[in-house]
Amino acid sequence: MFDPEIEGSSVARRRGLLAELQHQHRLAQQRQVQQQRAAMRAHNAAVREAERSARERQRASAAFQRASAADRVAAERAAKVAHVAAREAEVVEKNAHLNATYDEIDSLLAATLEVDDWVDLESLRESPGEVAFDRPELLTPSPTPGYHDLPGRPLFVAPPPPTGISGALGGNRKHAAQVEAAQREFGSIIQRWQHALGQTFELNAQIRKRWQETESARLVALAEDRRQHEQTVAQRHREVSESNDRLDGLISGLRHRHPAAMDEYVGIVLANSVYPEAFEVSHEHSFDAENRELRITVLAPHPDTFPTTKAFRYNKANDEISASPLPAAECKRRYASVVAQLALRTAHEVFEADREEIIDSIALTVAVDAIDSATGHDTRVDLVRLATDRADFLPIDLSRVEPADTLAHLAGAMSKNPYGLAPLANHGVRG
């Protein structure tokens, strides 16, 4: 069966490439002209705006010159007041942002208690959905062209024969001559008609050819875009299938308590744990299936990246905004508190997310990657070590505790000066 779209595509593949290139070239030229026009309009608008601004400045300058000295002083005073108000508002905004940052950092533990850290793995199952065809305009055939009307064929009209006495007096010979002259004239008319008819046929053929080229180019483009779309859809289905297969493997692995599956699930849980922008952390972990223990290292930000500004203030005298630093003791206290919270938060998230109670215990370390000032080598400084069982940890009401006291209660070890990166002694976590 003949399919015009398939047939058109075949023709386009044989001879439509040049037509498509020409079509795209024309489109590019059209876009270039449009862009040039748009740029000219923008230029003209900019010139008009500049001229308007110049006129406004001239009027303002003239008004200023006409104003009294008292008016000028009042205007300058009002401008200064407005400037000071703007700077003071800037300080208020900076201090509000600073206070919000400290609130987020100080409530690391409280923030996680407000959410359920369990991850419903089925919610991670993907669906390919519908991949939209990105060139819907190609689906519509080119409009049928309008052709020139063919000129009508002329009709020969013979001169009327003589009647009455004129015919009897030799009018027939005269009529014959008239008919002959009319026929010669009609022959010329027919020639002109045939010429016009040929021109019309040629113009219509050109219109038809251009339409066919445009339609062939459309079919070429449509076929290519459909091919790419089908590839995109197939790729999307493969990716979704692979993702869901991995999810099925993860669910099965957790059911059979495979260490790799538990590691992957814990990674998902910890990835869901959102930290303040000013205090980003990362994790390293592995699950010991034989002992049902999760070993995890929480990497805290270096103290050098910890915010140390107490507040911002505006000095009118020099028109500057300055920052007052937190006292060193306050920096140490806040950083130590955050490190302790970090340990309890991580343990809480893992135990709460493990509804199947696959993990019996956690061996946790909070550390900071730093440079050894003595050797210049990269080093990892342990700031907290905690070994705790599910049975010991879960009964604790974390919403009412002092984190450092809780670590001590759980026989954990904490650096005496986390902010100064004072290392821990080698104790406090099961080997």
Side-chain angles (χ1 to χ4, degrees), residues 73-301:
V73 170
E76 291 173 356
R77 185 182 301 113
K80 289 180 179 178
V81 170
H83 175 74
V84 169
R87 296 290 273 170
E88 289 176 342
E90 185 179 354
V91 167
V92 170
E93 191 277 331
K94 283 179 172 290
N95 283 328
H97 179 73
L98 181 65
N99 291 333
T101 297
Y102 283 138
D103 286 343
E104 286 182 327
I105 291 175
D106 292 341
S107 59
L108 281 185
L109 179 57
T112 196
L113 301 179
E114 299 174 356
V115 298
D116 185 355
D117 296 300
W118 175 70
V119 178
D120 180 9
L121 293 178
E122 284 297 333
S123 69
L124 304 180
R125 194 171 298 281
E126 295 187 61
S127 171
E130 181 179 354
V131 181
F133 186 62
D134 61 355
R135 296 289 302 281
E137 71 278 4
L138 294 177
L139 299 173
T140 304
S142 305
T144 302
Y147 296 104
H148 297 285
D149 293 333
L150 297 178
R153 181 182 180 87
L155 297 176
F156 176 73
V157 179
T163 58
I165 191 169
S166 61
L169 297 175
N172 288 334
R173 288 191 298 273
K174 183 178 180 180
H175 176 258
Q178 290 175 339
V179 169
E180 183 179 354
Q183 288 176 337
R184 287 196 300 272
E185 177 64 23
F186 183 69
S188 299
I189 293 174
I190 287 295
Q191 287 181 349
R192 291 195 296 272
W193 169 77
Q194 289 175 336
H195 179 70
L197 186 65
Q199 286 184 324
T200 305
F201 277 133
E202 183 177 352
L203 289 174
N204 287 341
Q206 292 174 358
I207 292 172
R208 176 71 178 177
K209 181 180 179 181
R210 287 195 297 269
W211 177 80
Q212 288 177 331
E213 290 176 347
T214 300
E215 187 64 3
S216 295
R218 180 187 72 84
L219 293 173
V220 168
L222 178 61
E224 175 61 20
D225 276 68
R226 278 180 168 166
R227 182 186 66 80
Q228 294 180 359
H229 181 258
E230 290 170 359
Q231 291 179 345
T232 301
V233 170
Q235 177 65 22
R236 173 62 181 162
H237 279 268
R238 284 194 298 270
E239 291 173 351
V240 168
S241 178
E242 292 171 359
S243 175
N244 290 337
D245 286 346
R246 289 194 298 270
L247 181 62
D248 290 334
L250 173 58
I251 294 173
S252 175
L254 287 175
R255 188 179 302 117
H256 294 90
R257 302 193 175 188
H258 293 162
M262 195 64 207
D263 280 338
E264 186 172 357
Y265 178 70
V266 169
I268 294 172
V269 171
L270 296 177
N272 284 343
S273 183
V274 179
Y275 285 85
E277 185 177 352
F279 196 85
E280 296 183 358
V281 304
S282 58
H283 305 86
E284 298 173 357
H285 53 86
S286 63
F287 179 59
D288 181 353
E290 182 178 354
N291 296 312
R292 299 177 62 178
E293 180 174 76
L294 180 71
R295 297 178 179 271
I296 181 167
T297 297
V298 186
L299 294 174

Side-chain angles (χ1 to χ4, degrees), residues 105-106 108-109 275 279 281 298-303 306 331-347 364-368 381-386 403-404 407 413-422 424:
I105 291 175
D106 292 341
L108 281 185
L109 179 57
Y275 285 85
F279 196 85
V281 304
V298 186
L299 294 174
H302 194 283
F306 199 65
C331 292
K332 292 180 180 180
R333 183 204 64 77
R334 177 169 268 134
Y335 191 81
S337 173
V338 170
V339 167
Q341 290 184 65
L342 191 54
L344 298 181
R345 170 173 169 149
T346 304
L364 183 147
T365 302
V366 178
V368 171
V381 182
D382 292 349
L383 302 179
V384 174
R385 293 198 190 104
L386 173 66
L407 288 178
M414 183 169 175
S415 165
K416 295 186 180 300
N417 182 10
Y419 191 72
L421 296 183
L424 281 170

Side-chain angles (χ1 to χ4, degrees), residues 91 94-95 98-99 102 306-315 320-328 330-331 334:
V91 167
K94 283 179 172 290
N95 283 328
L98 181 65
N99 291 333
Y102 283 138
F306 199 65
T308 59
T309 299
K310 180 179 180 180
F312 294 94
R313 62 184 298 271
Y314 172 59
N315 190 327
E320 290 183 354
I321 295 176
S322 59
S324 58
L326 277 174
E330 178 63 13
C331 292
R334 177 169 268 134

